[in-house]
Amino acid sequence: MKKLLVVAMMAFGLAVNAQDGQFNIGANVGIPTGDASNATSFTLSAEANYLFNVSDQFKVGPSVSFVNYFGKTIGNVGIGDFQFLPVSAAARFSPSDKFTFGGDLGYAVGMNTGNQGGFYYRPMIGYNVSEKLMVQATYSGITNDGATMSNFGLGVMFAL
């Protein structure tokens, strides 16, 4: 956890030195994988971030999301939804005008009763449709005590 804090502080330190940035909002729909696929059927998430330009191709900044894993009904027992609020440091690398690679690292706060949250990670690849619209593919995971809630997702990101 200390390493994660150091990485986040470095990312935010770089962001403070950057001169300009961009606010982005987006949404994703996902298919649960691993442990999550046993109890949930799909995920929806929303994200907001503010990315500072470190260079022409590299951006960093804070990100916050809301993730909802929709619970399944198994037999006659309905499994409730799992909700998280990930708070993370985001980094994006754009080798061209069309493609972006990146990731988020942080902590996902558990929002519902009995949900303790955990370490959050989210690698992504994006295709810039225009200056203001990106289509992205992601894999996100939340790990706590050996259990992982994860999903593959597709979404859109809008630059404001």
Side-chain angles (χ1 to χ4, degrees):
M1 191 63 157
K2 289 181 184 179
K3 290 180 184 178
L4 175 64
L5 183 58
V6 170
V7 170
M9 288 175 64
M10 287 173 43
F12 291 123
L14 287 172
V16 169
N17 291 327
Q19 294 181 0
D20 59 329
Q22 184 175 47
F23 182 68
N24 305 289
I25 60 170
N28 286 288
V29 62
I31 300 170
T33 60
D35 299 331
S37 67
N38 297 328
T40 62
S41 55
F42 72 101
T43 63
L44 287 178
S45 64
E47 175 186 6
N49 63 41
Y50 192 85
L51 300 176
F52 297 92
N53 293 324
V54 175
S55 71
D56 289 341
Q57 296 177 317
F58 190 64
K59 298 178 182 181
V60 296
S63 180
V64 65
S65 303
F66 178 79
V67 181
N68 192 85
Y69 285 83
F70 290 87
K72 289 182 179 178
T73 299
I74 301 173
N76 292 332
V77 179
I79 298 174
D81 294 352
F82 297 91
Q83 299 164 338
F84 298 93
L85 183 69
V87 178
S88 60
R92 303 290 184 265
F93 174 69
S94 301
S96 72
D97 290 340
K98 290 295 182 184
F99 288 98
T100 300
F101 300 94
D104 299 353
L105 288 176
Y107 188 81
V109 178
M111 300 299 291
N112 51 311
T113 304
N115 182 351
Q116 296 181 2
F119 174 71
Y120 172 74
Y121 54 94
R122 183 178 155 251
M124 59 82 61
I125 182 171
Y127 178 78
N128 299 310
V129 176
S130 69
E131 280 188 36
K132 301 289 184 183
L133 176 65
M134 176 192 296
V135 177
Q136 59 186 9
T138 65
Y139 175 82
S140 64
I142 301 164
T143 302
N144 187 352
D145 292 332
T148 300
M149 297 290 288
S150 59
N151 73 83
F152 284 107
L154 292 175
V156 294
M157 198 66 141
F158 299 96
L160 301 179

